[in-house]
Amino acid sequence: MIFLPKAPQAIIRHFLLRFAGAPDTSTGAPRPANMSARDNRQNIKWVEGVRGVASFLVVVTHLARAWDYGLFWPSDGPEEAPRLLQLPILRIPFQGRIGVMMFSFLTGYVCAIKPLRQIKSGQTSAALTTIAKSAFRRPPRLIMPATIALVIAWLVTQLDGFQVAKVCDSDWLRDSSPAREGGLGHEMLRLMWDFQNSWIHGTPSYDEHQWALLPFLKGAFLIYMTLAATCYMKFRARALTIFVLWAWFWCSNDWKTETFECMFLYGVLLCDIGSEVDFREYVNSRPKARRIVQTSLIALGLYVGSYPEGNIEFAAWSRGIDQFNFLFPADNDPPKRWSAIAWHLIVLGFWLSPTLQTIFSNKLFMWLGRNSFAVYLTHGTLLRAVLVRFIYGFSIAPFSMERPENADPIYHWIPRTQNWFAWTVAIPLWFSMLYVVAHLWTTYVDAWCAKVTRWLEELMFEKEEEEKPRGAGLV
């Protein structure tokens, strides 16, 4: 037996244990068997949880638009004190805008996860295959469930299901609720034109909330083209290229580039950087600095994201933010620009925070995330056909119209209930109904659409070499 001093024995034992993959008893920490193959995976479950929050915020925003549009202002008047929900930060869930941006960012992040993982592991050909198949799946996975939701909204229209919404005292509900314009033949032709408008112009009339699906579809292909064009680049070159693309869209004043294109690319950029092991180790080795940075980013993002949609001059804090509008290109939309900056900062804080990622990865948020697309597709019809009846009743008898001579008609819309108890019961009950319907939609409708998409993929794609039966291709 060879006797060695204690220190060399400890060193030898340490390296033997590391090589074997057993825990090092000197520290109690397990070691990987192959130290050269570091784990390049990152926590992505939190993305699904954030998606669930985004869909919830979209619904809350539409409730505010329907019945309390003053929440989009800093106060109800220039001399009036703000209400609680009009204060900075507290107003964000109700004033909207940020929910669609969250969906855009998450689309970029999720679409890039698998291709970037394959690219970084040297499987570039596999990454291109993944991009090709993802690009094929995206249209049917968006168009099929959206079309089913559109047909349901059309059927509700034919059955006068939106009749109460068309004559209620909410301008937004009246303007966004469809009505029959003719006989069945005319309405069927109108449905076909509405489907076309949804995917060419993004202007559906039976379910106007589907306007964002066309930009989402286009954005997915922007992501796929970007990944395909940069898949052979080094990490830093690819990150720089994506950043330049992001900056190009940010400097544009075209319609909603800050809502869609910038967010798609920002999601790809953070996914790419976050999958770098060296970067994660660098950040995690400095927990105090990381917490300070992430907290500051989230706090600043929440503040600037409070920028109101109108009547900015009603409050000093909104006038203060308004002074920095020179940062944006000419002829832009300042409320959306500030919301975009807000989400850039907030999600960067989430991305840097393992604690927040753990919170958003719990079962509740994950369940909300799984049902988020179904909530987005169904909430408009349920809002105008069901919730309005909880608030206004089932009869349109209170509605009337006067036709004075030589004057415009005078409309007496159905008034909303003034019973606060009815509101506190109706809205939670309706939310419960919405999420039950969304869960059933995800379980059956969305699953069926996924099955059809897989069938189409198997029908139209060549089998990969390892999937072909032995002897295939031989003459």
Side-chain angles (χ1 to χ4, degrees):
M1 182 175 182
I2 300 175
F3 293 91
L4 294 174
K6 290 185 178 180
Q9 287 181 1
I11 293 173
I12 292 172
R13 182 175 65 251
H14 173 74
F15 279 101
L16 287 174
L17 289 171
R18 290 183 66 176
F19 180 80
D24 185 345
T25 54
S26 62
T27 60
R31 300 292 184 180
N34 185 359
M35 294 302 294
S36 63
R38 295 185 298 175
D39 182 17
N40 66 346
R41 296 178 181 244
Q42 53 180 322
N43 177 15
I44 59 173
K45 290 183 178 181
W46 67 276
V47 176
E48 190 76 7
V50 173
R51 192 197 305 274
V53 174
S55 66
F56 180 79
L57 293 181
V58 168
V59 177
V60 170
T61 299
H62 290 156
L63 296 183
R65 286 194 181 278
W67 290 302
D68 197 350
Y69 200 83
L71 293 178
F72 294 84
W73 305 337
S75 67
D76 292 328
E79 304 298 330
E80 296 187 36
R83 289 180 281 154
L84 178 65
L85 298 182
Q86 291 174 325
L87 293 174
I89 299 177
L90 296 179
R91 62 183 293 107
I92 289 179
F94 305 94
Q95 71 175 13
R97 302 192 306 262
I98 203 169
V100 175
M101 295 179 185
M102 294 167 72
F103 275 123
S104 301
F105 168 84
L106 296 170
T107 298
Y109 200 100
V110 171
C111 288
I113 288 172
K114 186 175 180 180
L116 285 175
R117 183 182 297 158
Q118 292 171 320
I119 290 169
K120 290 174 185 290
S121 61
Q123 302 173 5
T124 309
S125 297
L128 291 173
T129 301
T130 297
I131 292 170
K133 290 188 175 182
S134 298
F136 174 81
R137 296 186 197 110
R138 180 61 55 167
R141 293 293 285 116
L142 277 177
I143 293 174
M144 283 195 294
T147 302
I148 295 171
L150 184 68
V151 171
I152 292 173
W154 177 84
L155 287 172
V156 174
T157 303
Q158 307 316 305
L159 297 172
D160 288 330
F162 302 122
Q163 191 177 27
V164 174
K166 290 297 293 183
V167 293
C168 70
D169 63 0
S170 169
D171 295 341
W172 183 78
L173 283 175
R174 292 198 307 272
D175 295 340
S176 60
S177 298
R180 283 184 299 170
E181 296 180 354
L184 183 59
H186 172 82
E187 287 296 304
M188 292 183 68
L189 184 62
R190 183 183 168 201
L191 173 63
M192 290 188 289
W193 282 110
D194 204 51
F195 171 80
Q196 174 182 301
N197 286 331
S198 298
W199 298 104
I200 296 179
H201 306 293
T203 55
S205 58
Y206 286 107
D207 187 4
E208 70 164 23
H209 300 306
Q210 292 193 20
W211 69 269
L213 296 183
L214 179 59
F216 284 141
L217 180 60
K218 292 180 177 179
F221 282 88
L222 170 66
I223 296 163
Y224 299 139
M225 287 189 295
T226 302
L227 292 171
T230 60
C231 65
Y232 286 100
M233 291 184 181
K234 297 178 181 178
F235 159 66
R236 293 185 180 182
R238 182 173 56 251
L240 177 62
T241 302
I242 296 171
F243 175 78
V244 170
L245 282 173
W246 171 89
W248 187 79
F249 280 111
W250 181 261
C251 293
S252 170
N253 57 8
D254 288 345
W255 182 79
K256 295 185 186 296
T257 54
E258 74 289 318
T259 303
F260 294 107
E261 287 86 353
C262 287
M263 291 298 169
F264 294 137
L265 293 168
Y266 191 58
V268 176
L269 183 62
L270 287 196
C271 184
D272 197 0
I273 298 174
S275 61
E276 286 294 307
V277 180
D278 291 335
F279 173 80
R280 292 206 309 275
E281 289 178 351
Y282 176 84
V283 171
N284 293 333
S285 64
R286 293 162 176 80
K288 291 184 179 179
R290 174 176 52 77
R291 292 189 188 103
I292 293 172
V293 171
Q294 71 194 33
T295 303
S296 301
L297 289 171
I298 294 173
L300 180 60
L302 290 172
Y303 182 75
V304 300
S306 303
Y307 187 87
E309 188 168 303
N311 297 321
I312 290 88
E313 68 279 3
F314 284 2
W317 65 267
S318 55
R319 292 195 299 268
I321 299 176
D322 192 60
Q323 294 178 1
F324 292 90
N325 284 350
F326 65 86
L327 298 172
F328 308 138
D331 301 323
N332 67 90
D333 188 342
K336 289 186 174 59
R337 289 281 169 163
W338 283 116
S339 290
I341 290 179
W343 182 240
H344 278 82
L345 298 174
I346 293 169
V347 77
L348 187 57
F350 290 172
W351 181 69
L352 291 172
S353 174
T355 302
L356 289 174
Q357 291 180 15
T358 301
I359 292 173
F360 285 115
S361 300
N362 69 31
K363 292 182 179 180
L364 173 60
F365 285 110
M366 293 288 287
W367 184 83
L368 293 175
R370 281 193 297 273
N371 295 297
S372 59
F373 188 44
V375 168
Y376 188 86
L377 290 177
T378 60
H379 81 279
T381 299
L382 290 174
L383 169 61
R384 291 165 179 79
V386 178
L387 184 55
V388 292
R389 284 172 165 78
F390 292 169
I391 303 301
Y392 294 97
F394 288 79
S395 173
I396 63 169
F399 167 74
S400 62
M401 180 178 63
E402 299 179 21
R403 297 182 179 272
E405 293 184 5
N406 302 322
D408 294 332
I410 301 174
Y411 296 95
H412 299 280
W413 309 113
I414 302 176
R416 68 196 67 178
T417 180
Q418 300 300 316
N419 186 344
W420 66 268
F421 182 75
W423 287 90
T424 57
V425 172
I427 291 182
L429 178 62
W430 179 78
F431 263 109
S432 301
M433 180 185 302
L434 170 63
Y435 277 95
V436 168
V437 170
H439 177 71
L440 294 173
W441 183 283
T442 301
T443 304
Y444 297 104
V445 178
D446 202 56
W448 178 81
C449 294
K451 184 178 180 180
V452 173
T453 302
R454 286 194 298 271
W455 175 77
L456 289 172
E457 181 181 336
E458 293 172 358
L459 179 67
M460 301 181 72
F461 271 72
E462 290 282 356
K463 289 186 177 181
E464 297 183 37
E465 291 298 325
E466 61 272 14
E467 296 178 352
K468 291 182 179 180
R470 187 167 298 179
L474 299 178
V475 179

